[in-house]
């Protein structure tokens, strides 16, 4: 009896998490296979899934029908979600580069009010991730698959100052090179 209650609770938690996720369809590609009786069409879909609070994933799916391809891509995107630390919940902590194949991307943190300056699939990633201010540039290729994978390569390497301080066994203020005297001088200067 207790086991089924636990399983039901786990299902409800998963359903609640799934309802919080937003899905962005990046692209659908139609392919044709020529056979004896004519052509057989298939569809490939690319989907970005995110919770707008620092988690995002991507997936691709292929099927004979468009809805089935989108469903497969969405399931894969939910399985491959990553967590990205955000500064003030609106931008990245630092500038970073990523690459995959011929795709190269540069992601830069931006000040409040900048907005999402990114094109194509990268914009969908940042909207699903919950980033409000970022400047991104894609170099090398316009292939959405490679752009997405290069962007995810960059996002997996973003680290928060708290994580770096924890690894080094220091305080966050030490990472930024601020001393107690310097902080007091800054506070006095702003008053």
């Amino acid at each position: 009896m207790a086991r089924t209650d636990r399983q039901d609770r786990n299902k409800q938690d998963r359903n609640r998490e799934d309802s919080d996720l937003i899905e962005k369809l990046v692209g659908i590609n139609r392919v044709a296979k020529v056979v004896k009786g004519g052509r057989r069409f298939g569809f490939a879909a690319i989907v970005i899934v995110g919770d707008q609070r620092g988690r995002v994933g991507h997936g691709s799916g292929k099927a004979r029908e468009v809805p089935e391809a989108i469903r497969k891509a969405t399931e894969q995107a939910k399985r491959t979600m990553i967590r990205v630390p955000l500064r003030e919940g609106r931008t990245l902590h630092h500038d970073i580069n990523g690459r995959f194949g011929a795709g190269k991307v540069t992601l830069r943190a931006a000040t409040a009010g900048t907005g999402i300056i990114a094109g194509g699939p990268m914009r969908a990633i940042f909207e699903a991730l919950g980033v409000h201010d970022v400047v991104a540039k894609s170099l090398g290729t316009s292939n959405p698959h490679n752009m997405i994978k290069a962007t995810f390569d960059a996002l997996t390497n973003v680290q928060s100052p708290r994580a770096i301080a924890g690894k080094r066994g220091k305080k966050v203020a030490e990472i930024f090179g601020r001393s107690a005297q310097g902080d007091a001088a800054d506070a006095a200067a702003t008053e």
Side-chain angles (χ1 to χ4, degrees), residues 14-151:
R14 268 194 303 252
N15 290 338
R16 194 174 305 120
E17 285 178 12
D18 289 350
S19 66
D20 293 346
L21 300 177
I22 63 162
E23 302 169 9
K24 299 254 182 203
L25 180 63
V26 174
I28 295 179
N29 203 15
R30 188 182 81 168
V31 293
K33 176 183 178 183
V34 179
V35 293
K36 186 176 177 182
R39 293 187 186 130
R40 287 209 181 128
F41 293 105
F43 298 92
I46 310 169
V47 173
I48 303 293
V49 172
D51 66 354
Q52 294 188 322
R53 290 189 303 267
R55 288 181 57 218
V56 69
H58 68 96
S60 61
K62 296 179 192 174
R64 288 280 184 85
E65 302 293 328
V66 174
E68 183 67 14
I70 293 171
R71 185 190 63 75
K72 286 180 179 180
T74 304
E75 285 179 5
Q76 184 182 2
K78 288 177 184 175
R79 285 194 305 266
T80 63
M81 289 185 83
I82 62 168
R83 180 164 294 287
V84 179
L86 300 178
R87 182 173 63 193
E88 301 167 7
R90 61 164 190 81
T91 190
L92 302 174
H93 281 285
H94 54 86
D95 301 352
I96 191 139
N97 297 324
R99 84 180 285 155
F100 182 86
K104 297 182 208 91
V105 296
T106 301
L107 311 180
R108 303 191 69 190
T111 58
T114 303
I116 299 174
I117 299 176
M122 288 195 298
R123 174 174 287 276
I125 291 171
F126 295 128
E127 288 173 354
L129 183 60
V131 172
H132 301 297
D133 303 303
V134 69
V135 178
K137 181 67 180 169
S138 171
L139 306 164
T141 185
S142 59
N143 180 340
H145 291 279
N146 287 345
M147 282 174 66
I148 288 171
K149 289 175 184 171
T151 305

